[in-house]
Amino acid sequence: MAGNEEAGSLPLCLEERLSNVLGSLDPGVVEALRREGWRSLEWQRVKHGIAEAIAGCICSVLGRSVYLTDLHGGEPSEGLGDKDIDLVIECLSPDEIPGLEQQVERLVAEALARVLGGEPRSVLGVPNIVELHSSHEFLASRLLRVGAPYVESLCSGQRG
């Protein structure tokens, strides 16, 4: 993974970008999230904004490409969208994923808690908010090969 200096700037980047995305939410959107949780159309839109914030930081700080996908039980979702944010990170080894996922999940949950005024997993009705996958995982690698509509490139891994 990236050096300590780069890895240390990931939380700062995420905090700033999540604050920008979530701080600008309309009160009606926040109320819909509180009322309907992950089943709301608003969650699907907010989820995409959060995914873009996470991807932007991973791309700029770690220099990795990031792709958004919707996986439900290990298969691509065919409905409204899944509960959590599924991101595939290119060229990150599977053993690097758990630590990064834990850090990202914590930061996203903290940012959502400030907006929702409660424990976000309970408010949204989700067991977790973010799942990170390595491009080396079997299903993730197949989805990347197939491309759209199963994955959406959120960034190209350019530093800067």
Side-chain angles (χ1 to χ4, degrees):
M1 187 146 49
N4 287 340
E5 182 180 313
E6 289 175 341
S9 63
L10 185 64
L12 296 174
C13 179
L14 277 171
E15 287 170 4
E16 180 181 334
R17 288 186 188 218
L18 290 170
S19 177
N20 290 339
V21 168
L22 298 174
S24 65
L25 291 180
D26 182 88
V29 170
V30 174
E31 184 53 37
L33 293 175
R34 288 183 186 136
R35 189 178 56 252
E36 299 174 47
W38 76 271
R39 288 181 176 85
S40 68
L41 289 174
E42 288 81 0
W43 173 240
Q44 300 308 312
R45 193 175 79 234
V46 169
K47 196 171 86 160
H48 197 277
I50 293 170
E52 287 178 330
I54 294 167
C57 290
I58 290 173
C59 288
S60 66
V61 175
L62 301 181
R64 305 294 181 172
S65 295
V66 179
Y67 302 87
L68 176 65
T69 189
D70 253 341
L71 297 173
H72 180 73
E75 298 296 329
S77 175
E78 295 178 10
L80 171 65
D82 199 23
K83 296 176 182 180
D84 60 11
I85 300 164
D86 289 294
L87 297 172
V88 176
I89 304 172
E90 198 158 35
C91 299
L92 201 60
S93 73
D95 60 330
E96 293 177 284
I97 293 291
L100 182 59
E101 181 178 89
Q102 184 178 26
Q103 181 180 39
V104 170
E105 174 80 10
R106 179 183 55 78
L107 292 166
V108 171
E110 289 170 359
L112 279 168
R114 287 190 290 277
V115 171
L116 297 176
E119 208 299 308
R121 292 170 202 87
S122 297
V123 173
L124 295 168
V126 299
N128 61 304
I129 302 164
V130 179
E131 281 190 25
L132 302 182
H133 304 274
S134 168
S135 61
H136 297 291
E137 294 174 22
F138 177 74
L139 182 57
S141 67
R142 294 202 51 175
L143 290 172
L144 289 177
R145 278 196 302 275
V146 172
Y150 299 108
V151 294
E152 173 187 350
S153 176
L154 295 181
C155 61
S156 63
Q158 300 297 323
R159 291 181 190 243

